[in-house]
Amino acid sequence: MKYCQGPLCHTYDTKDRKRGPKGNKVNQTRRRSSFYYLQGNACSMQCQADWFDTYGTRALDYFGRITQPIVLQENNAWRKNYRWGYGDNEDRHYFYNICTGEERPLTESQFNDNNYTLNTGE
Ligand SMILES: [Zn+2]
């Protein structure tokens, strides 16, 4: 069991967050064996958003900001693409280069092969 990491989780008023005897009730952070949000660390989208609002900037500073543009180059810009409404033996499957706009035909088996690529590196 683990606690939701949302810093405001305890402030949302639901029955399952209430603890304690009558006359001495408190609301507390949710505790579950698993969560869906924040990579398994928050109980709701709200708690995920609260976490980011509180810690997001610090997390970016800690892990390192992008300070230069990340560049996609021709040698790594090939994407598989597919045309609807084409017959089996026409150029239905093809590589498309996002940078140059160039197209190269593909067979269907090449299209379905996740290891088949024209990309040559970062
Ligand atoms: Zn929560």
Side-chain angles (χ1 to χ4, degrees):
M1 299 284 271
K2 55 186 176 180
Y3 290 103
C4 171
Q5 296 300 302
L8 300 178
C9 191
H10 63 292
T11 66
Y12 300 112
D13 198 24
T14 59
K15 274 186 181 163
D16 70 301
R17 288 178 169 99
K18 293 198 184 301
R19 292 289 185 282
K22 202 172 182 181
N24 194 23
K25 294 243 184 246
V26 298
N27 281 23
Q28 72 174 33
T29 300
R30 272 182 174 151
R31 191 169 179 236
R32 301 264 169 83
S33 55
S34 68
F35 295 115
Y36 289 111
Y37 301 94
L38 200 67
Q39 295 184 333
N41 290 297
C43 74
S44 66
M45 275 177 84
Q46 183 64 62
C47 284
Q48 175 178 278
D50 291 342
W51 189 94
F52 196 82
D53 288 346
T54 304
Y55 301 112
T57 298
R58 275 190 270 168
L60 284 172
D61 288 336
Y62 180 82
F63 293 111
R65 288 172 179 271
I66 293 169
T67 57
Q68 299 285 325
I70 301 170
V71 178
L72 186 67
Q73 293 177 308
E74 186 176 341
N75 68 351
N76 204 32
W78 292 102
R79 299 292 180 268
K80 287 174 180 176
N81 219 333
Y82 179 93
R83 288 186 182 89
W84 292 97
Y86 272 57
D88 283 340
N89 296 317
E90 298 171 72
D91 294 337
R92 189 173 196 181
H93 303 89
Y94 61 101
F95 271 115
Y96 175 76
N97 193 295
I98 294 173
C99 287
T100 64
E102 185 185 346
E103 291 185 12
R104 292 188 193 169
L106 264 174
T107 66
E108 186 168 358
S109 64
Q110 287 168 339
F111 182 85
N112 291 326
D113 179 355
N114 288 332
N115 294 318
Y116 188 77
T117 178
L118 296 180
N119 290 325
T120 56
E122 293 300 315

